[in-house]
Amino acid sequence: AQSVTQLDSHVSVSEGTPVLLRCNYSSSYSPSLFWYVQHPNKGLQLLLKYTSAATLVKGINGFEAEFKKSETSFHLTKPSAHMSDAAEYFCVVSGRTYKYIFGTGTRLKVLA
Amino acid sequence: SQTIHQWPATLVQPVGSPLSLECTVEGTSNPNLYWYRQAAGRGLQLLFYSVGIGQISSEVPQNLSASRPQDRQFILSSKKLLLSDSGFYLCAWSEGGPGELFFGEGSRLTVL
């Protein structure tokens, strides 16, 4: 079985400071991992994905995530937050079963 | 290029009435298709997925059913809606792999 846990339901950062959104996964086999973003009243957009290649994955808008098998983590980071980063972020795990399992989401608030 | 269409965008239905939400994908063949429900603070809950015509996998026992009458058409139905069926429903597709999951714009269902 696969599952994903997003450790923080809400994160607040000041503009220009680093962002860290935490995600832990559970999978019986080598997972594929994704981060999606959903801005208010918008659809879901892929930020980045890990599919067993490089463990440090770079995505759009300056975001990146590192796959750490020993810690079963796939945390999302950005060096400097921008006001436009305010949104809800979802960590997703998938694998051989074709299912995509979403975390409960982390709402990021960026303070001016 | 591939596109996904989902309708209706908004629906208000009385308790006990039937439901039909439709989703079609264009520009690809034999996609994997998904229905999710999004509730505040609970992320996206996988309801059904399909890897081929007539092949439906149900993830959560509930008052809903899904059908795939054509390769690129996915329908979410109910014979009698409950209040608890209210929510935001999202259709999605992928090419497998697992690759990126592409979402429709969603259908907001209110059951009164």
Side-chain angles (χ1 to χ4, degrees), chain B residues 19-102:
Chain B
L19 171 73
S20 180
L21 300 179
E22 295 194 32
C23 173
T24 60
V25 180
E26 297 177 357
T28 188
S29 59
N30 197 30
N32 295 334
L33 296 171
Y34 304 82
W35 278 111
Y36 286 89
R37 178 166 56 201
Q38 185 175 19
R42 296 179 60 185
L44 274 71
Q45 181 186 32
L46 178 61
L47 302 176
F48 302 94
Y49 68 99
S50 171
V51 299
I53 296 176
Q55 299 179 53
I56 308 294
S57 296
S58 174
E59 286 299 294
V60 182
Q62 59 208 329
N63 188 41
L64 302 169
S65 61
S67 61
R68 184 171 178 172
Q70 300 180 44
D71 180 45
R72 291 169 291 168
Q73 184 183 25
F74 206 25
I75 298 172
L76 183 69
S77 304
S78 174
K79 292 183 180 179
K80 290 185 177 181
L81 284 168
L82 305 172
L83 287 173
S84 58
D85 291 324
S86 294
F88 190 56
Y89 291 83
L90 287 153
C91 181
W93 74 274
S94 76
E95 290 183 329
E100 182 176 353
L101 197 58
F102 298 92

